[in-house]
């Protein structure tokens, strides 16, 4: 605990008797270095173990919950509010949830990998239960009653004779500044009143009424507007730029140049756009042709040097396998395609930099910005504000760095940086291109006897943590080098996420070919490698089912031992009305797919009906039926939202999306050159069936549906056309060519 925090807490407590959540965990565990190893508390309590890192109760009984995770549209803010209110026995409406802020919340790293419920939700649940226990213990002391005689209700502890002590009356001094215990006395799920109920999401009203919902909506007193002039291509060097005329334009406050970083600041937003265009016209760049051949991407990737690792191997040479097939599947570079281009607001006051940003990791981003500005991290504060669109590492961190670098040149004034559409499409880090090669053999009974899977991919994360991951720092005169790419470790993995099959095969081998060279700027995109790996595995399972003359659903069950996985498959098939020997209507096809995200998170199975126009090749998802098991369900509506969103997003990736480029520049810089799903192609029906597991651990579900949705759609297209397409996206052109062939 640092001295300043101690003094602040004591001063406030002397004035009002409140428990203040203000903490420093820097040395929290140092004192235990010589202590014997003990069981760790669950979730993110492992790394932020003090209860007052998660729960605040003031003298009036108001309860505030803190999470280091960023609300990105997953709805967890509502779920966390339900969890805490349930365990603390307070009214849902009375509780406030504060999300990622480097001055207020615990460091939970990135909000990624569908880990928010597993890490932060679990921490909040256990912290709330332990806080309730401490309040009961304090009330027992004051009532002179055994703890077992007391109960909690509506923010108070109640004695058998009806006497009440509110939580505000019970909290004192550092009462909650204690380390969490490994085990908590959680409520019996049978008694839940809030958890498991469909509660309206707290983040939706402002979004649908035009309120201030996003960082793009922020307006601060005295705020100026900035635009960045990006280089026309990777590696381009600014050779000439006469800024004099731009500096004289009406409303222009300043032109900021640092090496290849070029920006303009104006009093009004439209003035900044006009000045940006004038500055872009004045800038002269030297470009280098260094991008690969797009029409030969699979051979380009597999031909690059790679670091190869066998990540799974099982052998039983006694199993014979007379029938063998092989297939190669590809995924292009794909954009996050956020509807709202990236934005950030920054302000430098008295040597303290504050940045409002839609980053997915306020602490790692703070580290990178502090390094870029050569400021102590303690002097940089990042506050998460939702952005209009996300789905992974898009331009949010870059916009935050832009805003900080420009704000340094204008001390005192808030600076708002808003990217343009073409900048977002050309400069965001894309989801990596991938190649998978599969080979499998069937035994005499129609079961898979041998399975071979190889995947080629770049890293799937170049997120900040150092300055070199951000464009502004890369473009400065004293540029920061891009960090060396690294594979993400299993069991979650990156390019090899979900590459290890969940099915049981007597012989299997999985190889990850990690490619360090990155000709295109890439980073984390929703589901990482799981999207393409599940697409590949589940498409190939259908090809093998056809070879075995077996029903695709029955064929999967034939190879799956996991009872929860089997239940999800059966539920989706039942909800769809799947029947063996079924036939789809004319020009329609049925498809099925299944996966457990990362082989350790939520289970999801999806059955699809797709319509294919044989004249144009256009495919449309007519209806989808999904089943999901994500453990204990907190908010069923929120879970349904996530699966519906995963299906629609994956449909867009699978049928439409592909980054295009020539030998020098990214060419897919708008919605015409990078088409996405439009409203006229939205499915007629998406149905989600939930298998609730009360009392079971929370399993991440935000990214469980993307892979199964892609494969389910691909399998339905193959069922409708009799042609198997293996190269994403499954565009109308490719479908038409396959039909005509």
């Amino acid at each position: 605990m640092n001295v300043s925090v101690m003094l602040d807490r004591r001063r406030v407590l002397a004035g009002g008797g409140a428990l203040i959540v203000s903490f420093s965990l820097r040395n929290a565990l140092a004192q235990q270095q010589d202590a014997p190893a003990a069981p760790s508390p669950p979730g993110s309590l492992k790394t932020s173990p003090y209860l007052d890192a998660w729960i605040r109760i003031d003298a009036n009984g108001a309860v505030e919950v803190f999470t280091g995770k960023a609300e990105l549209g997953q709805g967890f803010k509502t779920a966390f509010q339900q969890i805490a209110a349930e365990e603390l026995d307070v009214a849902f409406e009375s509780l406030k949830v504060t999300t990622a802020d480097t001055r207020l919340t615990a460091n939970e790293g990135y909000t990624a990998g569908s880990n928010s419920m597993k890490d932060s939700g679990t921490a909040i649940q256990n912290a709330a239960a332990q806080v309730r226990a401490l309040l009961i213990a304090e009330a027992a002391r004051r009532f002179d009653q055994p703890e077992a005689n007391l109960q909690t209700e509506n923010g108070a502890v109640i004695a058998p004779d009806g006497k009440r002590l509110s939580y505000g009356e019970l909290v004192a001094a550092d009462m909650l500044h204690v380390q969490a215990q490994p085990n908590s006395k959680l409520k019996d799920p049978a008694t839940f009143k809030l958890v498991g109920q469909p509660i309206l999401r707290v983040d939706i009203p402002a979004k649908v009424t035009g309120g201030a919902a996003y960082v793009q909506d922020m307006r601060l007193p005295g705020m100026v507007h900035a635009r960045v002039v990006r280089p026309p291509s990777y590696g381009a060097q600014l050779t000439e730029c006469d800024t004099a005329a731009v500096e004289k334009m009406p409303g222009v406050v300043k032109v900021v140049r640092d090496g290849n970083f070029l920006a303009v600041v104006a009093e009004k937003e439209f003035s900044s756009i006009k000045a940006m265009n004038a500055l872009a016209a004045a800038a002269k760049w030297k470009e280098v042709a260094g991008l690969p051949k797009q029409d030969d991407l699979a051979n380009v990737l597999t031909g690059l040097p790679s670091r190869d690792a066998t990540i799974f191997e099982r052998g039983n040479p006694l199993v014979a396998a007379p029938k063998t097939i092989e297939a190669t599947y590809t995924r292009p570079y794909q954009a996050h395609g956020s509807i709202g281009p990236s934005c950030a607001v920054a302000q430098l006051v008295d040597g303290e930099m504050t940045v409002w940003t839609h980053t997915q990791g306020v602490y790692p981003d703070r580290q990178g910005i502090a390094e870029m500005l050569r400021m102590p991290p303690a002097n940089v504060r990042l506050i998460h504000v939702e952005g209009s669109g996300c789905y992974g590492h898009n331009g949010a961190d870059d916009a935050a760095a832009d805003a900080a670098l420009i704000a340094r040149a204008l001390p005192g004034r808030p600076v708002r940086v808003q990217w343009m559409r073409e900048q977002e499409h050309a400069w965001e880090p894309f989801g990596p291109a991938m190649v998978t090669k599969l080979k499998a053999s069937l035994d005499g009974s129609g079961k898979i006897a041998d399975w071979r899977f190889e995947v080629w991919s770049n890293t799937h994360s170049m997120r900040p943590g150092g300055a070199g991951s951000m464009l502004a720092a890369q473009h400065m005169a004293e540029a920061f080098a891009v960090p060396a790419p690294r594979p993400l470790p299993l069991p979650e993995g990156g390019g090899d996420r979900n590459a290890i099959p969940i099915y049981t095969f007597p012989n299997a081998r999985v190889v990850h070919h990690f490619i360090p060279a990155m000709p295109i700027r890439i980073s984390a995109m929703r589901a990482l490698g799981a999207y393409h790996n599940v697409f590949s595995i589940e498409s190939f399972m259908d090809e093998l089912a056809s070879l075995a003359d077996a029903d695709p659903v029955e064929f999967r069950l034939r190879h799956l031992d996991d009872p929860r996985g089997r239940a999800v498959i059966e539920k989706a098939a039942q909800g769809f009305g799947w029947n063996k020997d079924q036939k789809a209507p004319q020009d329609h096809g049925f498809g099925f797919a299944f996966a457990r995200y990362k082989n350790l998170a939520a289970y999801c199975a999806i059955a699809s009906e797709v319509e294919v126009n044989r004249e144009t090749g256009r495919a449309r998802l007519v209806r989808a039926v999904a089943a999901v098991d994500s453990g204990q369900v907190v908010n069923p509506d929120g879970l349904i939202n996530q699966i519906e969103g995963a299906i629609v997003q994956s449909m867009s990736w699978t049928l439409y999306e592909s980054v295009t480029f020539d030998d020098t520049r990214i060419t897919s810089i708008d919605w015409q050159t990078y088409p996405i799903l439009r409203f006229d192609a939205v499915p007629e029906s998406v149905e989600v069936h939930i298998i609730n597991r009360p009392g079971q651990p929370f399993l991440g579900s935000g990214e469980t549906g993307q892979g199964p949705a892609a494969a389910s759609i691909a399998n339905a297209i193959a069922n409708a056309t009799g042609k198997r397409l293996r190269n994403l996206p499954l565009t109308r052109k490719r479908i038409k060519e396959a039909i005509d062939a």
Side-chain angles (χ1 to χ4, degrees):
M1 179 62 62
N2 65 39
V3 174
S4 63
V5 173
M6 290 284 285
L7 291 174
D8 287 347
R9 180 183 293 110
R10 287 170 180 160
R11 187 184 305 118
V12 176
L13 287 171
L19 171 71
I20 299 298
V21 179
S22 181
F23 56 94
S24 171
L25 303 180
R26 187 169 44 195
N27 299 314
L29 301 178
Q31 299 170 4
Q32 299 186 8
Q33 287 179 349
D34 298 326
S40 297
S44 290
L45 286 171
K46 289 186 186 72
T47 51
S48 297
Y50 284 91
L51 296 180
D52 62 359
W54 304 93
I55 308 289
R56 163 186 173 171
I57 303 173
D58 70 17
N60 296 320
V63 180
E64 188 169 2
V65 173
F66 295 84
T67 171
K69 297 295 187 181
E71 172 66 70
L72 312 170
Q74 323 93 303
F76 79 57
K77 195 172 181 181
T78 308
F80 289 175
Q81 195 165 331
Q82 288 177 256
I83 291 167
E86 185 75 72
E87 288 294 338
L88 286 168
D89 272 328
V90 299
F92 175 83
E93 298 79 10
S94 70
L95 191 148
K96 177 185 177 184
V97 176
T98 294
T99 60
D101 180 332
T102 56
R103 187 166 294 173
L104 298 177
T105 66
N107 182 356
E108 292 195 82
Y110 303 111
T111 303
S114 296
N115 285 322
S116 293
M117 291 299 296
K118 177 175 71 73
D119 294 342
S120 207
T122 299
I124 289 168
Q125 181 185 37
N126 283 269
Q130 293 186 32
V131 166
R132 177 167 49 87
L134 288 174
L135 293 167
I136 291 172
E138 176 62 15
R141 186 184 67 80
R142 296 193 195 182
F143 284 139
D144 194 21
Q145 287 271 357
E147 293 180 22
N149 291 354
L150 306 179
Q151 62 181 16
T152 54
E153 180 182 287
N154 199 25
V157 182
I158 306 169
D161 60 4
K163 290 181 180 178
R164 305 167 62 92
L165 282 171
S166 72
Y167 291 171
E169 293 173 293
L170 289 166
V171 294
D174 283 353
M175 178 179 172
L176 300 191
H177 189 66
V178 295
Q179 291 200 33
Q181 298 301 306
N183 300 305
S184 309
K185 188 177 180 181
L186 299 174
K187 283 191 172 182
D188 182 345
T191 69
F192 285 168
K193 299 173 183 176
L194 291 169
V195 169
Q197 297 304 309
I199 291 180
L200 297 177
R201 277 174 47 177
V202 297
D203 59 313
I204 294 297
K207 295 175 180 176
V208 298
T209 59
Y214 301 116
V215 68
Q216 285 91 343
D217 302 320
M218 282 188 67
R219 299 295 185 270
L220 299 180
M223 188 174 77
V224 291
H225 298 267
R227 288 295 191 280
V228 178
V229 175
R230 289 281 176 227
S233 59
Y234 299 151
Q237 298 294 310
L238 184 58
T239 58
E240 181 184 337
C241 187
D242 185 351
T243 64
V246 176
E247 289 168 338
K248 295 175 183 176
M249 291 179 68
V252 170
V253 176
K254 193 177 186 68
V255 172
V256 178
R257 180 183 175 183
D258 188 338
N260 291 316
F261 181 83
L262 190 60
V264 63
V265 186
E267 295 285 354
K268 303 291 185 182
E269 184 164 20
F270 189 54
S271 298
S272 72
I273 295 172
K274 290 193 291 185
M276 176 196 69
N277 291 331
L279 194 59
K284 308 298 180 188
W285 301 87
K286 181 181 179 181
E287 298 184 75
V288 179
L291 299 186
K293 291 183 179 179
Q294 184 170 5
D295 57 0
D296 195 26
L297 200 53
N299 287 328
V300 168
L301 285 179
T302 55
L304 288 170
S306 63
R307 300 204 295 264
D308 305 337
T310 299
I311 59 174
F312 181 78
E313 192 155 27
R314 175 188 292 140
N316 183 353
L318 300 178
V319 178
K323 295 182 180 178
T324 300
I325 59 171
E326 301 181 47
T328 298
Y329 300 85
T330 67
R331 171 197 182 180
Y333 294 101
Q334 291 178 315
H336 297 83
S338 300
I339 298 299
S342 294
C343 179
V345 179
Q347 185 175 22
L348 180 66
V349 177
D350 297 332
E352 303 275 340
M353 180 69 74
T354 301
V355 184
W356 293 266
T357 167
H358 56 116
T359 178
Q360 288 185 236
V362 289
Y363 279 91
D365 204 14
R366 180 184 71 167
Q367 180 183 338
I369 288 174
E371 181 184 359
M372 178 185 74
L373 300 178
R374 292 178 169 82
M375 293 175 66
N379 290 3
V380 180
R381 178 185 184 185
L382 264 70
I383 303 170
H384 181 266
V385 184
E386 283 193 70
S388 178
C390 184
Y391 331 121
H393 178 192
N394 63 356
D397 301 279
D398 296 308
D402 294 342
L405 190 57
I406 298 166
R408 185 176 66 173
L410 288 165
R413 300 202 69 175
V415 176
R416 178 180 182 269
V417 171
Q418 173 68 68
W419 280 23
M420 307 297 284
R421 169 54 53 201
E422 61 272 18
Q423 293 173 337
E424 186 80 29
H425 270 52
W427 279 100
E428 64 146 276
F430 303 121
M434 297 175 66
V435 177
T436 47
K437 294 188 176 184
L438 290 85
K439 180 179 180 180
S441 304
L442 298 179
D443 64 17
S445 67
K447 290 190 70 174
I448 297 171
D450 188 71
W451 176 272
R452 296 287 182 267
F453 185 98
E454 296 182 77
V455 54
W456 285 259
S457 178
N458 294 129
T459 183
H460 280 252
S461 181
M462 293 297 291
R463 293 183 185 275
S469 293
M470 298 178 293
L471 290 176
Q474 295 170 15
H475 293 160
M476 293 167 68
E478 294 185 30
F480 289 82
V482 178
R486 292 177 297 181
L488 302 178
L490 289 167
E492 297 201 3
D496 53 355
R497 180 171 291 182
N498 273 97
I500 298 173
I502 193 172
Y503 302 107
T504 301
F505 306 133
N507 294 281
R509 187 169 188 261
V510 180
V511 178
H512 179 206
H513 302 273
F514 172 71
I515 305 168
M518 298 183 297
I520 304 289
R521 187 179 189 226
I522 56 89
S523 192
M525 187 163 162
R526 200 171 193 185
L528 305 192
Y531 166 68
H532 182 68
N533 288 330
V534 173
F535 162 74
S536 306
I537 290 170
E538 289 295 298
S539 294
F540 202 52
M541 286 294 286
D542 256 38
E543 296 195 52
L544 287 163
S546 178
L547 183 66
D549 195 25
D551 173 73
V553 170
E554 185 278 327
F555 188 74
R556 285 168 172 81
L557 292 172
R558 188 185 298 177
H559 295 89
L560 186 63
D561 298 329
D562 187 323
R564 290 174 70 169
R566 293 178 65 88
V568 164
I569 288 175
E570 290 164 351
K571 188 73 172 178
Q574 178 188 15
F576 187 80
W578 190 281
N579 293 306
K580 190 177 181 180
D581 303 323
Q582 65 190 348
K583 292 200 185 314
Q586 180 72 27
D587 295 330
H588 286 231
F590 296 149
F592 197 91
F594 159 78
R596 183 182 187 189
Y597 185 48
K598 299 187 290 190
N599 289 356
L600 51 78
Y603 301 80
C604 185
I606 299 174
S608 298
E609 179 180 351
V610 168
E611 177 186 29
V612 177
N613 185 320
R614 301 184 72 88
E615 294 301 315
T616 65
R618 181 177 186 262
R620 184 175 70 90
L621 178 59
V622 176
R623 67 183 178 111
V625 176
V628 60
D629 174 355
S630 63
Q632 169 75 64
V633 176
V634 176
N635 188 332
D637 277 0
L639 178 55
I640 290 169
N641 292 162
Q642 288 301 290
I643 303 304
E644 289 173 338
I647 291 169
V648 172
Q649 180 179 49
S650 184
M651 177 187 177
S652 185
W653 290 346
T654 303
L655 297 179
Y656 300 99
E657 298 187 37
S658 176
V659 173
T660 60
F661 46 88
D662 56 26
D663 64 358
T664 306
R665 297 184 178 185
I666 304 297
T667 55
S668 48
I669 57 171
D670 53 32
W671 298 122
Q672 283 69 47
T673 50
Y674 190 88
I676 61 172
L677 180 73
R678 300 297 177 109
F679 278 105
D680 64 354
V682 168
E684 295 172 11
S685 169
V686 176
E687 188 179 306
V688 180
H689 298 268
I690 297 172
I691 299 177
N692 193 8
R693 303 283 185 184
Q696 289 293 312
F698 304 128
L699 300 179
S701 56
E703 298 166 326
T704 190
Q706 282 80 0
S712 180
I713 291 168
N715 290 334
I717 291 172
N719 182 244
T721 63
K723 306 288 180 141
R724 172 63 59 178
L725 281 78
R726 303 187 181 97
N727 300 312
L728 293 169
L730 312 181
T731 60
R732 63 174 67 193
K733 181 175 183 291
R734 284 175 169 166
I735 294 172
K736 176 63 174 169
E737 288 174 348
I739 291 171
D740 291 346

